[in-house]
Amino acid sequence: MDISLGSKLRWHKEWGSYSDGTIIREMKYSTMFDAATLTKVTATLPAILLLEQRKQLSLNDPITRYIPGFCYELVTIRQLLQHTSGLPADLPLVDRYEQRDVLKDILQQELVYAAGTKVLYSDLGFILLGCVVEELTQQRLSDFVKHEIFKPLDMKDTTFKPDASERARIAATEADGNGLGWEVGSLRQKQPDSGAAPAFT
């Protein structure tokens, strides 16, 4: 827990422990967590808004301007941000270790409702937004947010790809799928490097 006044940290304390199934570690101020879906608002959203501020895109631009393989011409960046694009919530499940071309799979999805008519939380929309960032900047999303967002805000412990040396700092957050323990510091990317891929902080 942190208590800050203005920009100054006044007090912090940590409690508890975490385990990968083989060793128990005490929670520390330096413990890192998989930010999971919060990556959308700590990385992808600010990246899109920064590019809009720089007039490199408009929120009303159709996605097809940046991803020609997307076949729904009326779906906009704004609708992806607002979860009103009509895209399904996620892709059909496959084994977590199975390789897949996520962008190709997304481009094959049909809209489940007309764009702009309702809200459905969609990971797929934010994956596409990450692809928009990568297309415009010609950088991986992780590299762009590292240099343009995380570093300027002094978020030095926030990263997409923790080094092996950081593994012991990362709290396990889900079972490994084999019944043998818990995932620790594993980057389970849902796509090349975009949108909903988890950051760690």
Side-chain angles (χ1 to χ4, degrees):
M1 174 183 286
D2 287 348
I3 297 178
S4 299
L5 295 176
S7 61
K8 294 185 178 180
L9 177 65
R10 298 296 187 180
W11 181 83
H12 77 262
K13 183 171 176 57
E14 56 281 338
W15 293 270
S17 61
Y18 59 98
S19 173
D20 64 359
T22 61
I23 187 171
I24 296 175
R25 295 184 174 94
E26 288 187 9
M27 200 69 68
K28 296 182 179 178
Y29 190 65
S30 60
T31 301
M32 298 175 74
F33 293 86
D34 177 346
T37 200
L38 292 177
T39 304
K40 295 178 179 70
V41 295
T42 57
T44 312
L45 170 63
I48 288 287
L49 295 181
L50 184 60
L51 292 173
E52 185 204 25
Q53 182 182 60
R54 294 175 177 175
K55 303 192 183 308
Q56 291 180 257
L57 60 76
S58 165
L59 298 187
N60 295 319
D61 287 344
I63 297 305
T64 52
R65 180 172 298 177
Y66 307 101
I67 306 175
F70 188 71
C71 60
Y72 300 101
E73 295 181 357
L74 298 181
V75 174
T76 65
I77 291 174
R78 185 184 304 276
Q79 289 170 332
L80 294 184
L81 289 171
Q82 295 176 331
H83 298 279
T84 59
S85 68
L87 285 167
D90 212 336
L91 292 172
L93 291 176
V94 298
D95 184 274
R96 68 183 299 153
Y97 300 107
E98 180 180 324
Q99 293 295 314
R100 70 190 304 181
D101 184 335
V102 174
L103 180 58
K104 179 181 177 182
D105 289 350
I106 292 173
L107 297 180
Q108 293 174 346
Q109 299 300 302
E110 295 184 4
L111 298 186
V112 294
Y113 59 87
T117 61
K118 63 183 289 189
V119 176
L120 176 66
Y121 188 90
S122 175
D123 285 339
L124 308 189
F126 268 75
I127 293 170
L128 291 180
L129 289 169
C131 293
V132 169
V133 173
E134 292 180 346
E135 176 65 24
L136 277 171
T137 65
Q138 294 299 297
Q139 298 179 60
R140 301 291 294 261
L141 176 67
S142 56
D143 293 332
F144 180 76
V145 297
K146 176 181 179 179
H147 296 290
E148 301 290 341
I149 296 168
F150 298 159
K151 280 191 175 179
L153 294 175
D154 198 29
M155 297 169 67
K156 55 184 177 293
D157 287 324
T158 303
T159 180
F160 273 73
K161 298 173 184 172
D163 294 333
S165 62
E166 305 280 14
R167 185 175 172 85
R169 290 180 57 194
I170 300 172
T173 54
E174 67 177 80
D176 68 4
N178 296 315
L180 302 176
W182 294 83
E183 292 283 352
V184 177
S186 174
L187 180 59
R188 301 169 309 287
Q189 287 184 262
K190 297 183 180 179
Q191 65 291 324
D193 199 27
S194 313
F200 290 80
T201 189

